[in-house]
Amino acid sequence: MATFKLKLFGLLYFVQGIPYGLQSNLLPIYLRTIGLSFSKISLIKLLYFPWLLKILWAPFVDQYGTKQKWLLSSMFGLFLCCLIMARLHPTTDFPTMAFILLLLNFFTSIQDIAVDGMAVRLLSNEEVGYGNTIQVVGYKTGSLVAGAGFLTVMDYISWNMLFITIAIIYVVAIICSCFTPEPPRTAESEARLPVLNPRAILKEVLRVPGTIWTLIYVIIYKLGEQGAVNMFPLFLLEHNFSAAELGFWNGIVAMGFSIFGSCLGGIVMPKYNAFSLIMVLFLMRFGNLSFQTLLLLLFQSESLVMKGAAVLSIILQHFLSGLITTLTFGIMMLCTQKAEERIQATHYTFLASFEVLGKLTFSAIAGLLVDRIGFPFSFCIFVLLSCLAILHVLKPPDLLPEQKKE
């Protein structure tokens, strides 16, 4: 039962990553090759905003119907969106295409709420680490297949065939989801939330033990890292690294190490104190960010040693990021398991929304910072920001099972 459950969650998180990979990697390049303007291509990024608003409809998913019904309904909506996209052409139907992509993100956000809610209820404390490994790896794999994977074969398949293929993947996921084990309804889970009263919902969510600490943590834990991840490859691009080299090292190889780190995080989390592991990883990340800052000051583009050191720092950066992300999602889930059953999906969605908001906000600011004060000073700020997470983890909340507190 446990093996089937984890495999099913892997499939669901895989299909959840498809829209992100499609919109962040495949569509911008494809749409540019057929002549669409940069302004239209940039518009696609704005269509992600249902992910930031999903806390508004999470209470409805928690309180009305079952998680399985919400899951099947959302994926049927995704299936229909793909069929409609297969009938459109970007050059002539761009407004309609943008609207369908908006719906795609809306249905994916509902699927995310339903799957996370089921995972919180169905995964035991011993399974949380493995479950979050599956979540991160499944999502990244789906994103990679829909982005880099489909992009490599776009010369051989048509726009229509691309979305028909994705629609078929959703059909498979819908069939498998019919066998999803639904958590039993209890008197606690039947109690209603005031879904039209955001203040009351927020009050209940924040009352869960450890929520305030976890909320601050998910906002700040990747601040410095996000700046370096986005800006260091651009620094190398300005110093004689080719786009192809960056695509290989920062894309394929780094993603591989990120997935490896995510897998390793799921293996070690059930065995050790998650907060102790996070502290060690944060200190290692601090060292790597400091090393990258030193490289900025000393970098010589003609030196193979310098280039090798830059590539090594990128690989280590993504490896640590994968580990940290898996452990963070595990901590979020442990916090949510402290909540009453009737608000668990809402609670996890609340934390996940701020996790996304923290990363996206600083990613947008990092470029502005580099434009204003340059790479070296910006990276000094990134290093200092990474210390905030270290200081925060010094006083963790009481979320861990008794046997893992030592």
Side-chain angles (χ1 to χ4, degrees):
M1 176 64 180
T3 302
F4 170 77
K5 180 171 58 179
L6 293 174
K7 287 180 179 178
L8 183 59
F9 280 132
L11 173 63
L12 295 176
Y13 283 117
F14 172 85
V15 297
Q16 190 176 302
I18 288 176
Y20 179 79
L22 189 72
Q23 294 171 86
S24 62
N25 296 317
L26 186 145
L27 287 183
I29 295 175
Y30 176 80
L31 295 178
R32 186 56 186 166
T33 60
I34 62 174
L36 263 67
S37 66
F38 287 113
S39 59
K40 285 186 176 181
I41 294 173
S42 298
L43 178 63
I44 294 175
K45 296 289 185 182
L46 300 178
L47 303 179
Y48 286 128
F49 84 89
W51 282 87
L52 299 178
L53 301 179
K54 65 179 182 175
I55 186 61
L56 299 180
W57 40 85
F60 291 91
V61 178
D62 248 335
Q63 296 297 301
Y64 297 103
T66 65
K67 301 293 189 298
Q68 186 186 53
K69 289 180 180 178
W70 282 102
L71 176 62
L72 292 173
S73 300
S74 62
M75 287 202 294
F76 184 71
L78 291 164
F79 166 74
L80 291 179
C81 286
C82 290
L83 290 185
I84 295 172
M85 287 289 285
R87 303 281 296 177
L88 303 175
H89 194 279
T91 54
T92 56
D93 305 305
F94 184 79
T96 306
M97 186 196 78
F99 177 71
I100 298 301
L101 287 174
L102 185 66
L103 287 179
L104 197 76
N105 284 303
F106 172 70
F107 286 126
T108 306
S109 71
I110 293 178
Q111 180 205 5
D112 178 55
I113 296 167
V115 176
D116 287 342
M118 294 170 71
V120 168
R121 292 281 305 281
L122 292 173
L123 295 177
S124 65
N125 285 331
E126 292 72 26
E127 294 172 330
V128 165
Y130 299 113
N132 281 281
T133 294
I134 288 172
Q135 176 185 8
V136 175
V137 174
Y139 188 89
K140 287 181 179 179
T141 304
S143 175
L144 189 64
V145 169
F150 283 137
L151 189 62
T152 59
V153 297
M154 279 303 289
D155 290 337
Y156 308 101
I157 63 173
S158 64
W159 173 271
N160 295 9
M161 183 52 92
L162 168 67
F163 283 97
I164 289 174
T165 302
I166 297 175
I168 292 172
I169 294 174
Y170 280 119
V171 169
V172 173
I174 289 171
I175 294 172
C176 293
S177 297
C178 292
F179 302 97
T180 306
E182 176 67 24
R185 306 292 288 184
T186 63
E188 181 184 338
S189 62
E190 291 289 350
R192 293 292 181 188
L193 267 173
V195 293
L196 298 180
N197 190 336
R199 180 178 295 180
I201 294 173
L202 181 62
K203 185 177 179 180
E204 290 214 38
V205 167
L206 294 178
R207 198 163 52 199
V208 176
T211 298
I212 300 296
W213 184 94
T214 308
L215 176 63
I216 296 171
Y217 170 83
V218 298
I219 292 174
I220 68 172
Y221 86 110
K222 283 206 171 185
L223 288 183
E225 176 190 306
Q226 281 297 298
V229 165
N230 285 280
M231 293 296 110
F232 194 66
L234 298 182
F235 169 82
L236 296 178
L237 189 64
E238 292 186 355
H239 290 77
N240 292 337
F241 264 75
S242 68
E245 286 177 315
L246 287 174
F248 177 73
W249 291 112
N250 191 55
I252 298 173
V253 175
M255 178 59 75
F257 274 89
S258 177
I259 292 174
F260 174 58
S262 298
C263 294
L264 185 60
I267 294 172
V268 299
M269 186 174 179
K271 301 177 181 179
Y272 301 101
N273 184 308
F275 295 114
S276 298
L277 289 172
I278 282 286
M279 175 61 75
V280 172
L281 294 173
F282 281 168
L283 290 172
M284 292 175 66
R285 186 179 65 180
F286 172 81
N288 191 57
L289 286 174
S290 301
F291 178 60
Q292 285 190 339
T293 305
L294 184 63
L295 279 175
L296 290 173
L297 298 171
L298 304 177
F299 194 80
Q300 297 176 1
S301 56
E302 66 275 5
S303 171
L304 291 178
V305 174
M306 288 285 187
K307 284 191 171 185
V311 168
L312 182 63
S313 73
I314 289 175
I315 291 173
L316 182 58
Q317 186 176 61
H318 283 79
F319 172 71
L320 293 174
S321 179
L323 267 166
I324 290 169
T325 300
T326 296
L327 292 173
T328 295
F329 285 174
I331 290 170
M332 289 162 56
M333 192 166 288
L334 289 172
C335 182
T336 294
Q337 288 179 340
K338 300 285 186 181
E340 297 178 9
E341 293 175 5
R342 65 194 179 95
I343 65 167
Q344 283 184 338
T346 301
H347 184 274
Y348 192 86
T349 298
F350 176 76
L351 295 177
S353 297
F354 277 92
E355 195 268 346
V356 172
L357 183 63
K359 291 190 295 188
L360 289 181
T361 301
F362 197 73
S363 295
I365 296 175
L368 178 63
L369 201 61
V370 170
D371 278 339
R372 293 292 178 87
I373 62 176
F375 280 106
F377 286 112
S378 296
F379 267 71
C380 288
I381 292 175
F382 300 159
V383 171
L384 291 176
L385 286 173
S386 71
C387 294
L388 293 178
I390 296 174
L391 295 174
H392 190 62
V393 177
L394 288 175
K395 293 184 178 181
D398 184 19
L399 299 178
L400 301 177
E402 288 297 326
Q403 67 270 24
K404 296 180 190 172
K405 290 181 181 178
E406 296 299 328

